[in-house]
Amino acid sequence: MDGGGSSPADATPLVEPIPGEPAARARVGGETALVVADYHAGIEAGLRYERGVELDSDADLRRIRLSGLVDRVDPDRLVVLGDLGHRIGAADGAETDELSDLFGALDDLPVTLVRGNHDAGLASELTDIGGGSVTVTDPDGVRLGRVGFVHGHTWPAREVVESDVVCVGHEHPAVRLEDEVGGGRKERAWLRGPLRPEPFAEHLGVDVADLDWRDPELIVFPAFNDRSGGTWINVEGQGFLSPFLPGALVADAADVYLLDGTRLGPYRTV
């Protein structure tokens, strides 16, 4: 499953999912970035007060998985596509403790947090938690090199949609797979396909011809946190969360991939 945006002179994908993982490697300028979405630190405390669900914390497992990916990829930077924390207000004790342990394990690796809807109360605290290694973007995202990053709960900035590849979180895409006897299971998934310029031009109040449109590929990332639920993209009646989806997507050309790279085909027909 290759990432888009490469030229004939350079066949290396700009964004390349890591087989078996809800994470990708990205070329951003002269750097290599490890990219994940929807970490949702402290989610167990959130589920307790939101839904009355009691779960043992997976904070240590999440930290080990992410730090293992850092060791494997050896990136120059970590990019988190929003919702690093779970609590929408100020971080609580469990979330702060988990993030402090995580940043300790990252050993001062520069982190770019693309602000998500769960990060509003967390952003002001990250300087202390992250020891100055964290840059927090505006909610409409950021472009690094030829790759645009946005969480997806808001419309992306113009510089983001004028990228070669646009990476999005927020949706937590998942598919329901059924076996021959009618049993079903949920699998986290990638959603990938070309974008249409018209919805973005309309939102920005410009003509399509005025955009530096590069026929970008949209890559919607699976949630790193497997306890955070998701958008069932192949279940009737499920809707997207992002304001620009599915309207800005060339739907017939948008494919679903499992974490192991298996292509399931157009998302509408899975």
Side-chain angles (χ1 to χ4, degrees):
M1 177 175 47
D2 291 335
S6 58
S7 65
D10 184 358
T12 304
L14 284 174
V15 179
E16 184 176 17
I18 298 170
E21 302 289 349
R25 180 188 289 105
R27 292 190 293 119
V28 291
E31 292 186 336
T32 296
L34 174 65
V35 188
V36 299
D38 300 286
Y39 190 89
H40 285 274
I43 192 172
E44 292 83 8
L47 292 174
R48 187 178 306 119
Y49 67 71
E50 291 166 2
R51 306 180 191 175
V53 175
E54 293 287 341
L55 293 172
D56 291 335
S57 175
D58 266 354
D60 290 344
L61 179 59
R62 286 190 287 271
R63 183 184 70 252
I64 291 168
R65 285 171 52 217
L66 186 54
S67 59
L69 283 167
V70 169
D71 290 342
R72 178 176 168 185
V73 174
D74 191 23
D76 301 296
R77 138 177 341 270
L78 172 67
V79 176
V80 181
L81 284 173
D83 291 0
L84 174 61
H86 182 75
R87 188 179 179 94
I88 293 178
D92 67 0
E95 183 174 312
T96 300
D97 290 346
E98 178 173 352
L99 290 173
S100 295
D101 290 343
L102 173 63
F103 281 106
L106 293 178
D107 195 25
D108 294 325
L109 177 70
V111 177
T112 298
L113 171 60
V114 182
R115 188 181 300 183
N117 53 304
H118 281 256
D119 297 317
L122 177 64
S124 61
E125 302 178 38
L126 284 179
T127 300
D128 293 333
I129 296 174
S133 64
V134 186
T135 300
V136 182
T137 78
D138 290 333
D140 58 1
V142 67
R143 176 175 164 180
L144 302 175
R146 294 160 57 198
V147 183
F149 301 95
V150 67
H151 179 59
H153 66 302
T154 63
W155 284 85
R158 181 169 179 168
E159 69 169 15
V160 172
V161 298
E162 292 180 334
S163 303
D164 291 89
V165 181
V166 178
C167 297
V168 174
H170 189 51
E171 297 288 351
H172 309 187
V175 292
R176 176 181 169 83
L177 300 178
E178 295 187 358
D179 57 30
E180 62 275 6
V181 295
R185 73 181 193 275
K186 171 187 172 183
E187 294 279 354
R188 284 176 290 175
W190 301 84
L191 177 63
R192 308 181 60 152
L195 287 172
R196 301 171 49 242
E198 291 83 4
F200 299 108
E202 181 180 356
H203 174 74
L204 292 166
V206 300
D207 291 334
V208 169
D210 291 333
L211 288 176
D212 182 16
W213 191 252
R214 305 183 181 196
D215 293 319
E217 180 189 21
L218 175 74
I219 303 180
V220 184
F221 276 58
F224 190 85
N225 191 318
D226 59 6
R227 288 179 163 177
S228 58
T231 299
W232 295 78
I233 55 179
N234 68 331
V235 174
E236 192 69 29
Q238 290 280 300
F240 286 91
L241 304 174
S242 295
F244 53 89
L245 293 178
L249 191 62
V250 182
D252 293 341
D255 289 335
V256 177
Y257 297 82
L258 298 181
L259 296 193
D260 65 5
T262 300
R263 178 181 176 274
L264 299 181
Y267 80 93
R268 286 180 165 175
T269 63
V270 173

